[in-house]
Amino acid sequence: MSTARKIAWGFGPPLVVAALLAWCAPPWPDDWDGLGFLASIEHFDMDKFAPHPPGYPVYVALLRLASVVLRDPMRAAIGVSVASGLAVFVCARSVAVPLGEITAVLIAAAVIGNPLAWRAFTAVGSEAPALALLAIAYWAIQTDRLAVAAIATGLALGVRLSWAPLVLVFPMLLPTRTRTRAISIMTLSVLLWLVPLLAIVGPSRLIRIYGVHFAGHAQRWGGTALGDPRPFGRLALLGRDLFVDGFGVDSDFVGVALAVMLVIVTVMIAQRGGRQQVGVIAALCAPYALWILIGQNLREQPRHALPLVVIAIAVFGACAARARILRLAIPLLGLMLTRTAMDAYDRRTTPPAGEQLVSFLRSHPGDVVFGGASIRFVSRTDMTARALPAETRGDVEIALTRMDHLPERVLVTSEISETDSAPVIAELCRPPRIDRKRACLQLRALQ
């Protein structure tokens, strides 16, 4: 291969990946967590959910560094996500090179091109940089760069602390003689973000915030097994998050064809003995899988399954290559990328309900709306006085008595309790595949 061709092959695919990720990124955050991350660029305040606990200090630092260059919070957040996707692609391709250059590119494309990963790499959220740091750590382990791997895993905990059950098994991938040193370096890496976090927030205040947050997460709004104790139901949700949201299986033609191909390729891999180390990797992933099964909101947030999806796809691709059935696996990849493109189009063209609410208020200047988390999208605009927080109809009625002038029309979102009898005047909807939390947000008129 000539030098020019080597350069083109080395830099071409990553540049294409970066361009596609940037092009697919929507101009708005998908949820109010994203709004909090954007707000944290200007002012870090966990009491005001900027960002929400546990604080994501490394992610906020990355956002602030990106904002110095890109000058806009939204562009900075997307820049971090796109760069993370690029890092995952490069690391995945590098690790898979022993299987062949073309095979490595295909596996890397599958790793970042599945629906759940592509969404993370084109959204405001901490999953993308967390995944990038884990990919860097795995690449470093495979290339005997122990210090890099330990630093990356320590920083990953500062991006997504909830991934700890997965991050903390990474030292198990190292030779026994190096684990103590790796754990020591990882501890120092954790201190790089933990000490500044404690200095900024204060130890006692941080403990209080964590206590309130985790109590609410476990019992009220976190969707954990305490509030949804049905084990088989939660297993079904985990399966949905992995295969429907992760791989792209669904009830339409693309989804059914993908499911059929997935079964065929899996059977072929099993018959041809391409399952090396699958059991070991499954055992390493088991603590994290158990954690999200019990302690995360599987019903509304498929993103918690993201690392499991990425690892499963990487292993699946390597097994297909070893079983010499890549020709059969390529159509499967094509179907999965088709699903990803469909989801990306929906996310790019259909704003989240909160963003649709902003547009609705702009076209109805005499209205005032009361709502829950959805109205936080209005806080980014000049209409904050027309979107007020409330939980019940009683909250709304009390707020109205305190107004100097009543609005032309009082609206409430379906997040407000005791308002079911009010007529629905609009439904702000998004396809369920890209918004499991709330496919439709209803607007109701109280007067």
Side-chain angles (χ1 to χ4, degrees):
M1 184 182 291
S2 66
T3 301
R5 190 173 178 182
K6 286 182 179 179
I7 293 173
W9 184 248
F11 290 95
L15 290 175
V16 170
V17 165
L20 287 173
L21 287 171
W23 181 64
C24 288
W28 45 69
D30 284 295
D31 52 28
W32 70 268
D33 285 358
L35 292 173
F37 288 131
L38 297 182
S40 70
I41 296 176
E42 296 294 331
H43 182 63
F44 186 93
D45 190 342
M46 290 168 62
D47 285 324
K48 296 181 178 179
F49 291 88
H52 61 288
Y56 307 88
V58 175
Y59 180 47
V60 173
L62 291 173
L63 291 177
R64 291 188 172 187
L65 287 173
S67 68
V68 172
V69 178
L70 298 174
R71 303 292 183 181
D72 176 80
M74 189 65 195
R75 286 200 297 266
I78 295 303
V80 170
S81 295
V82 170
S84 299
L86 185 60
V88 173
F89 178 85
V90 171
C91 289
R93 185 175 72 165
S94 177
V95 170
V97 159
L99 298 172
E101 290 283 352
I102 295 177
T103 300
V105 170
L106 293 175
I107 290 175
V111 164
I112 68 156
N114 62 84
L116 212 52
W118 196 263
R119 175 170 180 163
F121 297 136
T122 56
V124 182
S126 60
E127 289 81 13
L131 199 57
L133 286 166
L134 291 188
I136 291 169
Y138 188 76
W139 165 81
I141 289 172
Q142 298 301 310
T143 55
D144 294 323
R145 292 173 171 86
L146 182 146
V148 173
I151 292 170
T153 50
L155 293 177
L157 290 172
V159 176
R160 279 205 68 82
L161 187 60
S162 65
W163 285 15
L166 179 63
V167 174
L168 295 177
V169 304
F170 265 60
M172 299 299 103
L173 300 174
L174 295 167
T176 305
R177 67 181 184 281
T178 64
R179 287 177 190 169
T180 301
R181 181 167 172 250
I183 292 172
S184 299
I185 297 173
M186 186 170 69
T187 302
L188 293 174
S189 180
V190 169
L191 293 175
L192 286 175
W193 57 263
L194 181 58
V195 171
L197 181 64
L198 289 170
I200 293 169
V201 181
S204 60
R205 183 174 166 222
L206 187 64
I207 292 172
R208 176 181 60 80
I209 292 173
Y210 276 17
V212 172
H213 173 77
F214 288 125
H217 174 82
Q219 299 175 5
R220 183 182 176 189
W221 38 258
T224 67
L226 290 177
D228 183 15
R230 300 168 299 168
F232 293 107
R234 292 188 66 81
L235 278 172
L237 288 174
L238 180 58
R240 183 207 67 181
D241 292 352
L242 288 171
F243 293 103
V244 178
D245 292 280
F247 280 76
V249 172
D250 216 320
S251 58
D252 59 1
F253 175 79
V254 172
V256 172
L258 199 155
V260 171
M261 287 298 301
L262 186 61
V263 171
I264 291 173
V265 175
T266 301
V267 170
M268 293 291 292
I269 289 173
Q271 289 179 341
R272 299 195 179 190
R275 298 169 294 171
Q276 295 93 328
Q277 296 186 324
V278 171
V280 174
I281 294 171
L284 292 174
C285 292
Y288 180 75
L290 182 62
W291 151 239
I292 64 172
L293 181 65
I294 296 173
Q296 290 290 21
N297 189 345
L298 299 175
R299 183 178 303 279
E300 298 180 350
Q301 300 290 357
R303 57 189 172 85
H304 293 302
L306 173 62
L308 299 180
V309 170
V310 168
I311 292 171
I313 288 175
V315 172
F316 191 85
C319 290
R322 294 190 184 103
R324 302 182 183 278
I325 55 170
L326 271 183
R327 289 185 179 180
L328 193 60
I330 288 175
L332 175 60
L333 174 60
L335 288 167
M336 187 172 69
L337 295 179
T338 300
R339 168 65 69 203
T340 297
M342 294 165 66
D343 287 356
Y345 176 81
D346 286 341
R347 287 185 60 242
R348 192 71 174 79
T349 57
T350 309
E355 198 68 28
Q356 294 181 49
L357 178 61
V358 171
S359 298
F360 184 93
L361 286 178
R362 289 201 185 281
S363 62
H364 297 79
D367 294 352
V368 169
V369 64
F370 291 84
S374 61
I375 68 168
R376 292 174 183 170
F377 280 81
V378 185
S379 65
R380 303 174 65 204
T381 72
D382 56 357
M383 300 183 296
T384 53
R386 296 172 52 205
L388 305 172
E391 292 186 3
T392 68
R393 183 166 186 157
D395 294 337
V396 176
E397 292 172 349
I398 291 172
L400 291 174
T401 63
R402 296 172 179 170
M403 290 184 177
D404 295 331
H405 303 284
L406 290 178
E408 293 180 13
R409 186 168 56 170
V410 177
L411 306 179
V412 295
T413 71
S414 49
E415 299 159 309
I416 306 298
S417 62
E418 304 169 11
T419 60
D420 293 345
S421 60
V424 176
I425 63 167
E427 286 193 343
L428 312 177
C429 299
R430 224 176 180 201
R433 276 197 61 87
I434 62 171
D435 192 349
R436 296 294 185 190
K437 187 172 184 180
R438 184 176 287 107
C440 285
L441 181 74
Q442 292 181 335
L443 281 181
R444 301 179 178 129
L446 290 187
Q447 66 178 51

